[in-house]
Amino acid sequence: MELKQTFPLTIKRLGINGEGVGYFKRQVVFVPGALPGEEVVAEVTKVHPKFTEARVKKIRKRSEHRVTPVCPVYEECGGCQLQHLHYSQQLKEKRDIIIQALERHTKLPIAELKINDTIGMENPWGYRNKSQFQVAERKGKILAGLYGLNSHKLINIEQCAVQHPATTKANEVVKKILQDLNIPIYNERSGKGLVRTIVARTGIQSGELQIVLITTKKELPKKELIVEEIKKVLPEVTSIVQNINGQKTSIIFGDETETLEGNDFIQETLGDLQFELSARTFFQLNPEQTVKLYDEVKQAAGLTGKEKIVDAYCGVGTIGLWLAGNAGEIRGMDVIRESIEDARKNADRHGIQHARYEVGKAEKWLPKWEKEGWRPDVIVVDPPRTGCDEEFLKTVLKIKPKTFVYVSCNPSTLAKDIAKLSKDYEVESIQPVDMFPHTAHVECISQLILKEGN
């Protein structure tokens, strides 16, 4: 294989990043934008020792599921990967992505596993409750949006089909205010300038709106005017915050945060639970699907009202609190102190007295509690994309809860972790949930049950 080489290719499936996957002379070829079942002419863009990347030069046979993307900057932006695939087919392909990961990383009898159909959305648009748009100035005009796919060019986004309309409107308003008041914009190359990111988050249930300006320095010229203008044009804004990040980094938030107007947080509701979301609080980006996800977790946990539950990697306690009404006791842990403080506050606010939250790793707390005579019936885990910590999995295999519920946002790391647990645990069921329609992301809940004799 060499650069610019062209060849006919039949696309067999979708890859984990939403690209088409085909085989040419036994070499795997990844082709962004190509769909399963299509016959294309592919042109090589990159050659690697074990695979090749290519682009679609021509489609000879189109997929019956191919549709026209609604977004005008879809191909430049890269924020979504699957807008060109009909939504009902996206759900089928996402289930298939999980199957592929299990085939690659486990020895499980896939055909015998209960892998349910993906739970989708009735209206898979405008679902994201938060946007983080980088800001730049080009030819005297302020732009806000995302960096293009594999490039460092900022794509100005005025309408985003997957963002909640309230966040899109807020971005446009703030962009115009910064332009009109001539506020200096950060230049990544020179390191000069002030405003680097606009963050907008809406409480989809509460209707409250928070705007965060991320700046390189604390001194913000015309601060009062900026606040006044935002309030005038966007009366639904209940929180205006400034966050200071002077580091040369791709990390969005700095350590210092100051509330310029209104509350430090906005309110949001999930089912019967209320949450206070401050500027840096992690919260699920698609609340409508989060309710479906957590209900599936509750079902997988198989609660009768007596179970002792561990909510590992608990964050601000959302999953544990969702299960609390059907459980005997909840214990959660997380390495981030602020998250644990929030989890305790959230439990207090909802009058949940049988929940306990500790700072630290599960592999430290589980053996300690076992020595004290406390052993969980159910462990629920929702780890980052990198999957579960090796030590944590070893601890689970020692503690041996009857049920292990694994919430995963990365099929590859899920499959690798299941392979490690499968000597002692049966995979009872896997339920995919589409948290991010039109992207390649797929979330799923795996119910693992301790094998008899363990």
Side-chain angles (χ1 to χ4, degrees):
M1 290 280 214
E2 52 191 51
L3 282 179
K4 303 251 178 165
Q5 182 180 341
T6 61
F7 50 87
L9 190 69
T10 301
I11 306 300
K12 299 293 186 189
R13 54 185 172 83
L14 276 190
I16 202 156
N17 299 310
E19 68 281 80
V21 180
Y23 297 88
F24 182 71
K25 295 184 177 172
R26 295 191 176 174
Q27 171 92 300
V28 65
V29 185
F30 294 106
V31 190
L35 295 174
E38 290 190 330
E39 291 169 12
V40 303
V41 175
E43 180 181 28
V44 176
T45 55
K46 250 184 196 170
V47 180
H48 303 264
K50 291 188 176 171
F51 65 93
T52 298
E53 292 177 54
R55 70 176 188 90
V56 176
K57 196 164 184 192
K58 184 182 176 187
I59 301 176
R60 284 181 169 166
K61 182 188 164 196
R62 291 168 70 86
S63 164
E64 60 182 318
H65 306 295
R66 181 176 279 276
V67 293
T68 304
V70 302
C71 173
V73 292
Y74 172 59
E75 288 182 9
E76 294 171 76
C77 167
C80 299
Q81 300 83 39
L82 297 177
Q83 271 192 35
H84 62 297
L85 178 61
H86 191 278
Y87 186 58
S88 62
Q89 193 62 23
Q90 287 182 31
L91 300 179
K92 290 176 184 168
E93 295 295 347
K94 289 189 179 193
R95 178 179 179 272
D96 187 58
I97 284 171
I98 292 165
I99 291 168
Q100 287 176 48
L102 292 168
E103 284 172 345
R104 194 174 307 124
H105 301 295
T106 75
K107 294 185 171 73
L108 296 172
I110 311 294
E112 294 167 30
L113 292 183
K114 187 186 174 198
I115 304 171
N116 298 320
D117 291 341
T118 310
I119 296 172
M121 295 185 79
E122 277 175 43
N123 174 20
W125 303 102
Y127 57 82
R128 284 180 71 102
N129 61 3
K130 180 184 182 184
S131 63
Q132 300 183 144
F133 282 0
Q134 308 305 317
V135 189
E137 192 172 359
R138 206 177 291 148
K139 296 179 182 171
K141 189 183 177 205
I142 293 177
L143 314 175
L146 302 172
Y147 287 110
L149 192 60
N150 304 324
S151 86
H152 228 60
K153 184 190 172 195
L154 192 76
I155 308 297
N156 191 42
I157 298 174
E158 293 176 1
Q159 281 297 330
C160 177
V162 296
Q163 278 294 150
H164 191 281
T167 63
T168 306
K169 181 184 172 190
N171 272 303
E172 286 303 294
V173 166
V174 174
K175 200 161 67 172
K176 185 174 187 309
I177 290 167
L178 297 176
Q179 182 91 50
D180 292 349
L181 296 176
N182 210 14
I183 305 299
I185 300 303
Y186 178 65
N187 181 309
E188 207 182 20
R189 283 204 180 124
S190 68
K192 291 179 178 157
L194 188 64
V195 178
R196 58 195 296 169
T197 313
I198 301 167
V199 180
R201 173 148 65 180
T202 183
I204 288 178
Q205 297 297 326
S206 68
E208 294 181 2
L209 188 61
Q210 180 180 64
I211 287 169
V212 186
L213 289 177
I214 296 176
T215 59
T216 52
K217 293 195 277 288
K218 195 168 182 178
E219 295 70 41
L220 178 58
K222 304 179 186 171
K223 191 185 285 186
E224 291 78 11
L225 255 178
I226 293 170
V227 167
E228 200 181 301
E229 286 298 312
I230 290 174
K231 282 166 64 185
K232 197 194 308 177
V233 189
L234 294 169
E236 62 272 33
V237 171
T238 55
S239 171
I240 304 173
V241 173
Q242 181 187 0
N243 174 270
I244 296 95
N245 182 2
Q247 304 292 313
K248 273 208 158 194
T249 172
S250 58
I251 294 166
I252 293 188
F253 281 91
D255 293 332
E256 193 182 346
T257 304
E258 184 189 338
T259 301
L260 304 181
E261 180 73 21
N263 299 321
D264 300 340
F265 53 81
I266 58 170
Q267 299 275 0
E268 183 56 308
T269 305
L270 280 183
D272 298 330
L273 301 175
Q274 275 83 40
F275 294 94
E276 292 177 352
L277 310 181
S278 58
R280 295 179 66 192
T281 303
F282 169 78
F283 194 73
Q284 293 279 6
L285 291 166
N286 184 343
E288 183 187 324
Q289 290 297 87
T290 300
V291 169
K292 296 177 191 174
L293 182 83
Y294 289 176
D295 278 345
E296 291 297 326
V297 171
K298 188 184 280 187
Q299 200 171 324
L303 304 178
T304 63
K306 300 185 186 119
E307 286 77 12
K308 299 184 190 110
I309 297 180
V310 163
D311 180 7
Y313 300 80
C314 70
V316 298
T318 40
I319 291 181
L321 298 175
W322 195 266
L323 305 179
N326 300 80
E329 187 183 354
I330 301 281
R331 293 191 182 186
M333 68 285 283
D334 201 292
V335 291
I336 299 167
R337 184 171 296 279
E338 291 82 359
S339 293
I340 291 300
E341 285 164 9
D342 283 345
R344 288 170 182 161
K345 280 184 208 156
N346 286 331
D348 287 345
R349 191 182 312 118
H350 293 97
I352 295 168
Q353 290 166 358
H354 58 304
R356 169 181 170 180
Y357 291 99
E358 302 290 356
V359 179
K361 294 186 169 185
E363 46 269 37
K364 170 197 157 189
W365 283 103
L366 286 168
K368 187 175 187 292
W369 290 336
E370 193 183 32
K371 273 184 195 157
E372 293 164 6
W374 191 92
R375 190 163 164 260
D377 304 295
V378 181
I379 293 181
V380 179
V381 64
D382 184 4
R385 284 190 66 75
T386 47
C388 292
D389 194 288
E390 189 80 34
E391 285 305 307
F392 169 69
L393 293 176
K394 284 179 187 167
T395 306
V396 170
L397 290 168
K398 277 184 202 142
I399 302 283
K400 291 186 168 43
K402 285 200 297 270
T403 305
F404 185 77
V405 181
Y406 192 141
V407 184
S408 165
C409 60
N410 183 340
S412 295
T413 53
L414 167 73
K416 288 172 188 172
D417 289 347
I418 281 179
K420 290 167 192 162
L421 293 166
S422 60
K423 70 181 176 79
D424 288 354
Y425 283 87
E426 294 280 3
V427 179
E428 198 71 16
S429 68
I430 296 178
Q431 177 60 67
V433 179
D434 190 20
M435 297 295 286
F436 300 105
H438 310 293
T439 77
H441 291 286
V442 56
E443 201 110 356
C444 67
I445 300 110
S446 301
Q447 181 193 40
L448 282 75
I449 304 290
L450 192 65
K451 290 177 181 174
E452 282 182 31
N454 277 294

